[in-house]
């Protein structure tokens, strides 16, 4: 089976450095086994794994009556092939499983596995790579440790500017004393013993609970314990990797069972936590785990977690104290290899397929596989919906036509060479857009004409770089719309508030970046938009002025003025985006497990309050991993070479902001492929009537026409 190559035209250097295999060094893991109802936990596993898995994948049974709450600190996560490295905190809720294979109509124990349906990390780069490659259900959060008070707080990524929301608090204390404490500890020990017997199948009917399987389980567990000291043990992680469809978000574009064998290279320390409390018979190790009620993490109900005490805070929010037993901790080094794709399917694969593309018989004939959503999952599906009010700022940046066409060729025309489609750069500008709706998004787009069998069918905007200030929105744009979007901190009034008079910064974008090979990822400024900058009038050793920009800009202004028609020309409606939606294969990340060309649609229903922005400058930080200035041929006014990276200064041509009501229309798939390098092309589209705007006029001419009409209107 020949999978297509993953297209890295948008990130020619960065993309090659953020793929497995990884080396994890100085890993510290604190594990709190949370008591759970085995029957409800098995219902969760059945609903999200067993009912979906084809026969060759097997069946999964809950191995223990616990959900492992794991707090992990990765000292150094580096790419084996070179590049930078990341340090991060992670919080996950993991279910230990017994994995059975089907053989001659019976279930035979195969291995132990770990299934993680909920996970938070504090690294946006880790979130993006983990979701795309391995199918890890990561979202953003933070771990705040107060070592003096033995107190750890886990918070969610802020979905509003009101601050972070507390999800979890862990307090380490002493064991309860007195008669009540002794009776409680004895009761807890007895209950845990019964739970273990039930989980092993001795006190309930369980598939595969036979003597040979019990011996296999013991052998595999014994081997793991021995390997801790004599060889390289491993943890087998199991994920259901899936991405929603842009046209019908309740369905999947791609779905796969991925198994990854996390190889432990060296264990430095392993032991029980809270040993003093354990010696007094306290099975909690003196730790108190409190879970705050959050709609996106309904863990108690979804996983059947046992609750010791429930209380409510001053605001009425429910806080559950969970029953954690025998907490332990490890310090180790680990290697993260390529994953194994056990089975995969799409809407056009005629059911499940094995890794080599052959049918995973017996298979489902479902041509529309549905998303298996975890309870609480609420990413903003990009489906046709109600209109939303938006504030849109448009900053045209002059660029080199040759570079723009070269980008279009590498990003779309080369992958689409065997399809009926091609694109060409439309105009000599790249547009920096700042959009504020439910969240704020900053993106660079390239206008294109798109052709179907060499017939002009319309115009669209191709996103080149995108940032968003909400994790859920960044995930939806990346995995549904096919617009890779980095979660970033976006501050300043532009696109969010009415602009007051005065100088200074209007907008700043800061995000986690790999500044250069071999260095640690860091949060750094990506872009700034300022007004009335005090730029130098002449070159200095640190600030170089362009010799060609003033002449080039004047020539463009004259050309645009000469091209203006006598009548007003409106923008093509609806506004369309054209993007290559793709995801890396878990077994071979240099290839794509899914690729599709999507034509998105945003229809402006009402436009008002147009205002031009004056004396504006844009500053773009050019990181080696993402050379946007060089790739797009952006024409800069000055460049600051005095810092760790070059900072290019641009003067936008007639920037403006506008208030609009936007409605999301139905998108279209122009071409799709998965498991093969051959495109599937649906019936060809009718010609877009709005393409008349693209025949003779460029987008900047159309915008100039609108601005002129605005200036002359009463």
């Amino acid at each position: 089976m020949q999978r297509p190559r993953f297209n890295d035209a948008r990130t020619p250097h960065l993309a090659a450095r953020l793929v497995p295999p990884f080396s994890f060094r100085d890993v510290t893991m604190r594990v709190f086994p949370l008591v759970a109802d085995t029957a409800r936990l098995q219902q969760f596993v059945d609903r999200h794994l067993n009912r979906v898995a084809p026969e060759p994948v097997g069946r999964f049974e809950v191995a223990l009556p616990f959900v492992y709450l794991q707090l992990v600190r990765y000292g150094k996560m580096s790419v084996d092939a070179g590049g930078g490295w990341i340090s991060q905190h992670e919080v996950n809720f993991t279910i230990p499983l017994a994995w059975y294979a089907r053989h001659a109509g019976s279930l035979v124990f195969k291995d132990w596995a770990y299934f993680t349906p909920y996970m938070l990390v504090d690294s946006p780069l880790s979130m993006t790579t983990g979701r795309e490659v391995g199918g890890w259900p990561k979202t953003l959060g933070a771990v705040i440790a107060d070592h003096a008070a033995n107190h750890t707080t886990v918070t969610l990524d802020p979905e509003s500017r009101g601050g972070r929301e507390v999800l979890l608090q862990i307090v380490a204390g002493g064991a309860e004393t007195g008669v009540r404490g002794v009776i409680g500890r004895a009761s807890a020990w007895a209950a845990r013993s019964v739970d273990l017997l039930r989980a092993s199948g001795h006190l309930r009917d369980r598939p595969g609970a036979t003597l040979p399987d019990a011996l296999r389980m013991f052998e595999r567990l014994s081997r793991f314990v021995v390997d801790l000291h004599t060889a390289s043990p491993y943890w087998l992680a199991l994920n259901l990797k899936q991405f929603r469809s842009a046209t019908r978000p309740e369905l999947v574009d791609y779905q796969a069972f991925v198994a990854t064998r996390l190889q432990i290279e060296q264990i430095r320390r392993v032991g029980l936590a809270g040993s003093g409390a354990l010696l007094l018979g306290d099975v909690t190790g003196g730790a108190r785990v409190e879970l705050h009620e959050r709609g996106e993490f309904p863990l108690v109900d979804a996983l059947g977690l046992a609750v010791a005490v429930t209380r409510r805070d001053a605001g009425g929010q429910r806080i559950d104290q969970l029953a954690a037993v025998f907490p332990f901790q490890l310090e180790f080094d680990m290697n993260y290899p390529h994953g194994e794709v056990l089975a995969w399917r799409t809407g056009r694969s005629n059911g499940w397929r094995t890794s080599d593309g052959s049918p995973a018989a017996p298979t489902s004939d479902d041509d529309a596989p549905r998303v298996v959503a975890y309870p609480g999952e609420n990413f903003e599906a990009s489906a046709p919906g109600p209109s939303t009010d938006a504030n849109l700022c448009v900053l045209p940046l002059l660029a080199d036509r040759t570079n723009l066409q070269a980008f279009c060729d590498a990003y779309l025309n080369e992958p689409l060479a065997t399809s009926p489609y091609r694109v060409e750069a439309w105009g000599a500008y790249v547009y920096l857009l700042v959009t504020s709706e439910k969240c704020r998004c900053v993106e660079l787009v390239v206008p294109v004409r798109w052709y179907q069998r060499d017939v002009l069918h319309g115009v669209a905007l191709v996103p080149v770089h995108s940032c968003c200030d909400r994790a859920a929105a960044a995930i939806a744009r990346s995995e549904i719309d096919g617009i890779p979007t980095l979660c970033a901190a976006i501050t300043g009034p532009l696109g969010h508030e009415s602009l007051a008079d005065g100088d200074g910064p209007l907008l700043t974008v800061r995000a986690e970046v790999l500044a250069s090979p071999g260095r640690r990822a860091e949060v750094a400024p990506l872009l700034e938009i300022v007004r009335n900058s005090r730029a130098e009038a002449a070159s200095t050793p640190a600030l170089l002025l362009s010799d060609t920009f003033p002449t080039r800009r004047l020539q463009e202004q004259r050309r645009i003025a000469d091209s203006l028609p006598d009548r007003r020309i409106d923008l093509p409606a609806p506004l369309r985006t054209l993007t290559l939606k793709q995801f890396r294969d878990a077994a071979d990340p240099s290839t794509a497990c899914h690729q599709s060309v999507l034509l998105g649609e945003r229809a402006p229903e009402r436009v008002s309050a147009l205002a031009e922005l004056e004396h504006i400058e844009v500053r773009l930080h050019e990181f080696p991993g993402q050379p946007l200035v060089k790739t797009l041929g952006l024409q800069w006014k000055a460049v600051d070479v005095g810092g760790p990276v070059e900072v290019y200064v641009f003067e936008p041509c007639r920037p403006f902001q506008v208030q609009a009501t936007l409605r999301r229309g139905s998108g279209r798939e122009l071409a799709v492929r998965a498991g093969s390098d051959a495109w599937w092309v649906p019936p060809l589209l009718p010609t877009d009537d709005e393409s008349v705007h693209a025949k003779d006029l460029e987008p900047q001419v159309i915008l100039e026409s609108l601005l002129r009409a605005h200036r002359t209107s009463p």
Side-chain angles (χ1 to χ4, degrees):
M1 182 181 66
Q2 182 66 40
R3 286 184 296 268
R5 301 292 297 177
F6 186 88
N7 185 284
D8 61 2
R10 295 178 72 259
T11 52
H13 306 300
L14 181 66
R17 299 205 305 267
L18 287 178
V19 295
F22 299 124
S23 295
F24 297 163
R25 297 293 178 263
D26 299 325
V27 182
T28 302
M29 177 184 291
R30 298 164 60 198
V31 183
F32 298 85
L34 304 177
V35 179
D37 182 88
T38 307
R40 291 180 60 184
L41 201 55
Q42 187 62 52
Q43 290 174 1
F44 183 91
V45 172
D46 289 342
R47 185 165 57 250
H48 297 92
L49 294 179
N50 290 329
R51 294 178 187 174
V52 187
E55 184 171 312
V57 170
R59 179 176 173 82
F60 304 94
E61 289 283 323
V62 173
L64 294 171
F66 303 115
V67 172
Y68 288 164
L69 164 60
Q70 300 183 140
L71 278 68
V72 192
R73 179 189 176 276
Y74 297 90
K76 186 174 183 180
M77 306 166 63
S78 58
V79 182
D80 290 355
W85 56 278
I86 298 171
S87 178
Q88 75 161 20
H89 291 87
E90 171 186 302
V91 179
N92 67 66
F93 294 84
T94 295
I95 304 172
L97 300 174
W99 182 8
Y100 292 88
R102 300 183 187 273
H103 180 70
S106 301
L107 293 175
V108 179
F109 177 77
K110 183 175 182 178
D111 208 337
W112 303 106
Y114 298 87
F115 172 45
T116 306
Y118 297 99
M119 177 181 286
L120 297 98
V121 296
D122 61 2
S123 165
L125 292 177
S126 171
M127 181 188 77
T128 301
T129 301
R131 294 183 67 92
E132 177 189 338
V133 181
W136 295 94
K138 296 182 178 182
T139 189
L140 286 183
V143 177
I144 305 168
D146 185 342
H147 298 289
N150 290 326
H151 186 279
T152 302
T153 300
V154 179
T155 66
L156 301 178
D157 184 68
E159 293 298 306
S160 66
R161 293 169 182 81
R164 294 183 180 270
E165 296 180 333
V166 174
L167 172 67
L168 194 69
Q169 289 181 306
I170 302 173
V171 180
E176 187 176 2
T177 59
V179 175
R180 181 178 177 182
V182 172
I183 295 175
R185 291 193 291 271
S187 175
W189 278 88
R192 299 295 75 76
S193 300
V194 173
D195 285 337
L196 289 171
L197 288 172
R198 285 175 175 167
S200 64
H202 291 84
L203 295 185
R204 67 183 177 96
D205 292 333
R206 172 179 181 167
T210 63
L211 180 59
D213 272 305
L215 293 175
R216 288 191 194 93
M217 291 179 174
F218 181 76
E219 181 270 335
R220 191 60 59 93
L221 183 61
S222 301
R223 184 191 307 171
F224 177 83
V225 174
V226 172
D227 283 350
L228 290 177
H229 304 281
T230 62
S232 296
Y234 65 87
W235 287 323
L236 192 65
L238 179 76
N239 288 317
L240 180 61
K241 177 178 176 178
Q242 55 185 346
F243 304 106
R244 293 178 182 268
S245 165
T247 56
R248 295 183 59 187
E250 73 277 11
L251 306 180
V252 295
D253 275 338
Y254 178 84
Q255 197 172 60
F257 281 89
V258 177
T260 307
R261 184 171 293 202
L262 307 177
Q263 202 78 35
I264 300 176
E265 185 175 286
Q266 179 184 5
I267 292 184
R268 296 188 176 88
R269 179 185 175 192
V270 59
L272 293 169
S275 55
L278 288 170
L279 288 174
L280 293 175
D282 186 354
V283 296
T284 69
R288 186 173 75 251
V289 178
E290 293 187 337
L291 181 67
H292 292 238
E293 181 182 38
R294 298 296 177 197
E296 57 269 57
F297 283 89
L299 299 169
V300 171
D301 295 333
L303 303 179
L305 299 180
V307 176
V309 179
T310 297
R311 63 182 177 88
R312 293 192 178 272
D313 62 13
Q317 182 190 58
R318 192 182 80 188
I319 301 176
D320 295 319
Q321 181 177 328
L322 305 179
V325 297
F326 303 113
F328 58 95
Q329 56 191 14
L330 305 93
E331 296 178 7
F332 56 93
D333 296 337
M334 182 171 65
N335 295 323
Y336 186 110
H338 292 158
E340 178 186 0
V341 179
L342 305 176
W344 63 271
R345 67 176 175 175
T346 70
R348 298 179 180 85
S349 62
N350 294 320
W352 288 97
R353 301 271 170 171
T354 61
S355 59
D356 62 1
S358 59
T363 184
S364 169
D365 293 328
D366 183 8
D367 289 332
R370 305 186 72 85
V371 172
V372 181
Y374 302 132
E377 182 180 337
N378 186 30
F379 300 127
E380 298 154 356
S382 302
S387 303
T388 58
D389 293 330
N391 191 314
L392 174 65
C393 299
V394 181
L395 298 94
L397 305 178
L398 187 60
D400 184 271
R401 293 172 184 264
T402 302
N403 288 62
L404 295 182
Q405 187 57 51
F407 169 77
C408 291
D409 290 341
Y411 181 55
L412 289 170
N413 288 334
E414 291 177 9
L416 288 171
T418 58
S419 80
Y421 297 105
R422 67 177 178 87
V423 301
E424 65 178 27
W426 181 34
Y429 287 84
V430 171
Y431 292 86
L432 175 61
L433 307 180
V434 181
T435 309
S436 180
E437 294 180 85
K438 296 178 181 179
C439 61
R440 192 153 45 161
C441 181
V442 178
E443 58 187 331
L444 283 169
V445 299
V446 174
V448 298
R449 297 182 177 100
W450 64 280
Y451 294 81
Q452 188 173 266
R453 300 204 187 283
D454 294 326
V455 176
L456 178 63
H457 267 245
V459 297
L461 302 176
V462 174
V464 181
H465 183 73
S466 178
C467 294
C468 188
D469 64 357
R470 289 181 58 186
I475 291 171
R477 287 174 59 86
S478 299
E479 298 182 4
I480 303 175
D481 294 338
I483 303 173
T485 302
L486 183 64
C487 191
I490 303 176
T491 58
L494 187 65
H496 182 55
E497 307 168 11
S498 58
L499 297 181
D501 295 333
D503 304 342
L506 298 179
L507 183 129
T508 300
V509 179
R510 295 177 60 86
E512 186 182 30
V513 295
L514 287 170
S516 62
R519 289 181 54 184
R520 176 180 177 177
E522 58 187 11
V523 176
L526 299 181
L527 180 143
E528 295 113 0
I529 301 175
V530 299
R531 181 165 53 187
N532 294 328
S533 169
R534 298 290 188 265
E536 297 288 341
S539 292
T540 67
L543 184 70
L544 308 178
L545 300 184
S546 171
D547 296 331
T548 61
F549 176 76
T551 301
R552 176 73 189 278
R553 186 173 186 275
L554 182 60
Q555 291 173 346
E556 272 296 312
Q557 289 175 337
R558 290 173 177 172
R559 190 182 66 82
I560 295 297
D562 293 340
S563 302
L564 280 174
D566 295 332
R567 60 185 178 86
R568 168 175 166 168
I569 302 295
D570 291 327
L571 283 172
L575 300 175
R576 300 187 186 276
T577 58
L578 189 65
T579 186
L580 177 63
K581 180 177 180 177
Q582 59 176 348
F583 303 104
R584 294 185 183 275
D585 185 74
D588 182 2
S590 66
T591 65
C593 59
H594 167 88
Q595 284 184 335
S596 59
V597 179
L598 294 180
L599 192 64
E601 179 180 304
R602 298 299 299 274
E605 295 183 332
R606 179 181 58 83
V607 177
S608 62
L610 188 150
E612 295 190 54
L613 302 172
E614 298 180 341
H615 311 298
I616 300 295
E617 279 188 356
V618 175
R619 298 172 182 170
L620 185 61
H621 296 242
E622 181 88 332
F623 289 94
Q626 196 154 26
L628 293 171
V629 176
K630 297 179 177 64
T631 298
L632 301 176
L634 297 177
Q635 302 297 294
W636 46 273
K637 173 183 177 180
V639 56
D640 185 347
V641 297
V645 297
E646 296 175 343
V647 181
Y648 288 88
V649 181
F650 303 94
E651 185 176 324
C653 179
R654 305 295 298 277
F656 65 93
Q657 65 177 356
V658 63
Q659 295 179 3
T661 301
L662 301 177
R663 176 180 55 81
R664 182 179 297 276
S666 299
R668 283 291 305 265
E669 287 182 334
L670 300 184
V672 184
R673 61 183 177 183
S676 168
D677 57 4
W679 290 102
W680 176 84
V681 179
L684 301 183
L685 296 170
T687 303
D688 188 347
D689 293 336
E690 297 295 336
S691 63
V692 66
H693 293 282
K695 289 183 178 178
D696 303 311
L697 300 178
E698 296 183 3
Q700 193 60 25
V701 174
I702 298 174
L703 291 180
E704 187 69 30
S705 173
L706 289 174
L707 294 173
R708 185 177 66 176
H710 171 72
R711 290 194 305 270
T712 58
S713 62

